[in-house]
Amino acid sequence: MISSQALAALRRTLAEERVLTDAASLLHYGRDWTRYIEPSPAAIVFPLDVDEVRALVQWARACGVALVPSGGRTGLSAGAVASRGEVVVSFERMNAIRDFDPLSRTVRCQAGVVTGALQTFAEERGLYYPVDFASSGASQIGGNIATNAGGIRVVRYGMTRDWVAGLTVVTGTGEVLELNLGLNKNNSGYDLRHLFIGSEGTLGFVVEAVMKLTSPPPPTRVMVLGVRQLGDIMAVFGHFAGEARLQAFEFFSDQALAQVMAAQGVGAPLDERWPYYVLLEFEAAGDAEEARALAAFAHCVEQGWASDGVMSQSLAQARALWRLREGISEAITPRTPYKNDIAVMISQVPDFVVRLDAILSRDYPDFEVLWYGHIGDGNLHINVLKPQDWALPAFKSACEQVNRQVFELVRAFRGSMSAEHGVGMLKRDYLNVTRSEAEIALMRGVKSVFDPDGVMNPGKLL
Ligand code: MLT
Ligand code: ZN
């Protein structure tokens, strides 16, 4: 908790009405989508510009109070949860989009710009911002950068990191840095921009970013295929990747589908139910691409990798198929899922999933385990649903027991313990699955340079 003097100084730093301490605001802004850690912030503040963010950092250093950044609060690793009397800095009111540069195809966004607003901005100018996920309507650019958000089109367009041309940050010492200046080419030493991307607010706050835009994709089609065996999914991927320009390659299990069908009242995509489904989207500017993709599908069926399939004939059908995949996270939220977000190299996925399935079937016999994710990137989301009669702490510790086996396997495959959701508080104890002790020590060293007083989102990542 902060002292009354510190609170009074905070109210002098920012206009009174932009410092909230009521219970509803503390709960709302004190947490993200995770429900495993109780929020307990001291106050929520709403800066309007870079200078105010800087003043807040200086206040935090002077008063010895930690700051937690808050974007759209759609994170899944408790990276934006304030559980120890911190002050939450919401970027909600810093949401301007400006300095559109059509020739460079860049635009400057304040941290609080909602992802969907940037997508619409680009679309209205005949361009495209390709990083996309189910939470695009709520997530903010600053949070996307802080977590290097991925999503459903990484297979074609990469992660948020690939779309950041410049960054303005306020470090933990209250310094304002302009990183990479929006340049396309800049080989002038260490690229500190990339240090801040994915740093989860532990080095400083992202306050503005110059984002890259691109040409819109050609028309696309969506296919959903029924698959009998997990191990066959990557055979489908390998074949389609050679035959079509893939925009997305996702998968989900029948259990995951059942959750979406029940929550949203939608029907199954195919006449029969299959243990797994692949959802792929491919570019189809004309009939030739479509014919090639249909031939690829026929080949997958001949090989026994896929059993049945459907292809969208309209935008509405494409959206309906996507809902089956994108609706999973929201459909299972009431079940307080324990989430794993892991990745291995694409070529390792077939062996990895078979081994992982054996562990999960053995160690989670009593829980419902859902598989889905961006398998074309090597990224799997394993979600364990909490039975209604289990208390949250007992359920969490049961899942953590199984984690040991899961993460040993990830380590053995030289994979990532957090492919896209970030480390936050929930995965912090597993960082050494993917990072060596030497790397972690260097990361701590970097943190102490940018945040010597430890006021920037402490307890997250490290
Ligand atoms: C997704 O792929 O649906 C998102 O990462 C959210 C989730 O994993 O639940
Ligand atoms: Zn995901």
Side-chain angles (χ1 to χ4, degrees):
M1 276 298 128
I2 61 176
S3 67
S4 52
Q5 289 97 319
L7 192 57
L10 183 60
R11 291 192 200 282
R12 286 196 298 277
T13 305
L14 244 56
E16 183 100 1
E17 71 277 9
R18 289 189 282 111
V19 180
L20 301 182
T21 53
D22 62 286
S25 300
L26 296 181
L27 177 66
H28 181 68
Y29 291 97
R31 66 183 182 184
D32 56 17
W33 273 2
T34 52
R35 291 292 178 268
Y36 284 91
I37 297 162
E38 282 302 308
S40 179
I44 318 297
V45 296
F46 300 86
L48 298 180
D49 57 29
V50 177
D51 284 341
E52 288 196 346
V53 176
R54 203 163 98 183
L56 281 169
V57 173
Q58 277 153 356
W59 168 85
R61 295 187 80 192
C63 297
V65 177
L67 301 175
V68 173
S70 170
R73 294 177 307 286
T74 56
L76 296 167
S77 298
V81 174
S83 62
R84 302 190 211 146
E86 304 96 325
V87 167
V88 173
V89 180
S90 166
F91 287 91
E92 182 168 287
R93 304 206 193 166
M94 290 177 63
N95 60 2
I97 303 182
R98 52 187 171 228
D99 300 345
F100 171 55
D101 179 340
L103 199 58
S104 306
R105 294 183 155 193
T106 58
V107 66
R108 181 176 291 274
C109 297
Q110 284 187 307
V113 168
V114 169
T115 315
L118 176 58
Q119 290 168 337
T120 305
F121 180 94
E123 210 176 293
E124 286 168 355
R125 283 150 188 86
L127 291 170
Y128 186 57
Y129 180 66
V131 181
D132 195 18
F133 16 69
S135 60
S136 288
S139 68
Q140 297 175 6
I141 293 299
N144 295 351
I145 292 171
T147 56
N148 186 26
I152 54 177
R153 303 201 185 279
V154 173
V155 82
R156 170 75 173 87
Y157 295 103
M159 315 253 303
T160 298
R161 182 183 298 287
D162 299 298
W163 297 90
V164 180
L167 266 191
T168 306
V169 301
V170 177
T171 70
T173 60
E175 222 167 329
V176 178
L177 303 178
E178 297 245 24
L179 305 173
N180 201 55
L181 310 172
L183 296 167
N184 209 15
K185 298 182 96 171
N186 176 19
N187 269 349
S188 56
Y190 305 144
D191 194 338
L192 300 179
R193 163 188 51 157
H194 286 297
L195 202 50
F196 273 81
I197 300 170
S199 64
E200 303 189 21
T202 59
L203 305 179
F205 291 142
V206 170
V207 285
E208 282 188 8
V210 179
M211 304 304 293
K212 300 183 206 176
L213 305 175
T214 188
S215 304
T220 60
R221 297 260 188 208
V222 176
M223 272 187 186
V224 169
L225 314 182
V227 176
R228 275 180 221 277
Q229 296 193 64
L230 256 179
D232 288 339
I233 294 177
M234 291 313 275
V236 175
F237 174 71
H239 189 65
F240 265 93
E243 297 298 316
R245 181 87 156 143
L246 288 174
Q247 283 263 331
F249 192 92
E250 302 277 316
F251 89 117
F252 47 95
S253 64
D254 192 53
Q255 283 105 317
L257 173 67
Q259 295 290 331
V260 179
M261 288 169 61
Q264 301 191 359
V266 292
L270 304 171
D271 292 341
E272 264 184 74
R273 302 286 284 270
W274 302 96
Y276 302 96
Y277 302 89
V278 160
L279 182 153
L280 60 91
E281 183 165 351
F282 61 95
E283 296 177 6
D287 294 346
E289 285 94 340
E290 203 177 302
R292 223 169 145 187
L294 285 170
F297 165 64
H299 179 79
C300 292
V301 173
E302 266 161 42
Q303 296 297 314
W305 302 327
S307 304
D308 193 4
V310 59
M311 183 171 75
S312 65
Q313 300 298 327
S314 66
L315 204 57
Q317 281 176 12
R319 286 203 181 115
L321 292 174
W322 262 116
R323 244 192 324 274
L324 302 175
R325 163 64 186 91
E326 289 213 285
I328 299 170
S329 201
E330 195 182 327
I332 61 178
T333 298
R335 298 289 302 275
T336 335
Y338 186 87
K339 287 176 174 286
N340 268 308
D341 163 40
I342 51 188
V344 293
M345 282 185 62
I346 294 167
S347 56
Q348 304 268 3
V349 171
D351 289 348
F352 180 76
V353 290
V354 169
R355 301 262 304 269
L356 183 62
D357 191 29
I359 292 173
L360 298 177
S361 319
R362 185 192 66 207
D363 290 350
Y364 276 138
D366 303 330
F367 292 151
E368 277 175 82
V369 181
L370 309 187
W371 294 68
Y372 59 94
H374 321 285
I375 198 163
D377 309 326
N379 178 189
L380 312 171
H381 296 315
I382 310 297
N383 283 242
V384 189
L385 304 188
K386 186 177 83 57
Q388 311 287 8
D389 55 343
W390 276 61
L392 200 54
F395 174 65
K396 181 168 180 263
S397 84
C399 292
E400 283 168 350
Q401 297 296 325
V402 187
N403 267 352
R404 289 205 199 120
Q405 323 289 327
V406 172
F407 284 129
E408 273 323 303
L409 189 68
V410 173
R411 193 196 298 277
F413 275 77
R414 296 171 60 78
S416 175
M417 38 67 76
S418 175
E420 63 167 6
H421 293 168
V423 178
M425 289 161 103
L426 292 186
K427 300 288 184 252
R428 192 183 55 185
D429 295 344
Y430 306 105
L431 190 59
N432 69 4
V433 169
T434 303
R435 302 304 196 104
S436 69
E437 292 306 329
E439 255 186 303
I440 294 172
L442 284 168
M443 285 164 75
R444 286 189 198 286
V446 170
K447 163 123 176 119
S448 70
V449 170
F450 284 98
D451 179 29
D453 299 329
V455 294
M456 303 308 298
N457 213 12
K460 318 291 164 40
L461 176 57
L462 292 168

